[in-house]
Amino acid sequence: MTLFSDDLFERPRRELAPGATLVPGWLTLPQQSWIVERFREWAAGPVPPHSSSVAGHQMSVRTVCLGWHWRPNVYSREAVDVNGNRVLEFPEWMVHLGRRALIEASGDPHAGDEYTPDTALVNYYDEGAHMGMHQDRDERSTAPVVSLSIGDTCLFRFGNTTTRTRPYTDVELVSGDLFVFGGPSRLAFHGVQKVFPGTGPVNCGLPRGRINITMRVTGLS
Ligand code: SIN
Ligand code: MN
């Protein structure tokens, strides 16, 4: 056992662009495995994980939503493209976690005061899964997106607000990492190039694959 993990020194917090901050190793392993337990409950809930189709192509990730159900371009309370069931409520603990995430990423103790995320897209990536470059633009609110990663490491690409191409920055998102993008980066293109199988920590609760949670404010009522 080392007192400080090497990661803490090798992967310092990093601003990838104005308003876009990566905080490595924010979630502890017990927190990660607790969230993975919740993920199993969500996946067994009223709406099973589902792969959406975007422009005729089925996505390789499987998604379960909380609060509001996302399908390309539209949020609704019922998963009309899956089984018609209403999605689970957005958990109160996740509102608080989202607020703490904004405080952590910005260093401003009041950064979370106005933040009440009301939807989360929980994506599961198996070893071949990826996500093409896209913007998160189906929300009416410009509030930041809070992203949490658990399980296998991935290669994440964070770009600019005007094109899917350069300039962009490639970074690894590792189990426990927090990434927040808001302000001038809120509509930046981003995607997951690749997942590295078998790289997740043994005690994160996920024996294979990767989970990513993005919390958002829909601006809907
Ligand atoms: C997303 O863009 O919705 C997911 C990003 C990620 O998996 O890290
Ligand atoms: Mn996205």
Side-chain angles (χ1 to χ4, degrees), residues 121 123 125 131-132 134-137 145 156 181 188-191 212 214 216:
L121 276 62
N123 289 318
Y125 295 73
M131 192 179 287
H134 66 279
Q135 295 167 295
D136 291 357
R137 55 177 307 156
V145 176
F156 179 73
F181 56 105
F189 282 90
H190 58 278
N212 175 265
T214 50
R216 306 141 187 234

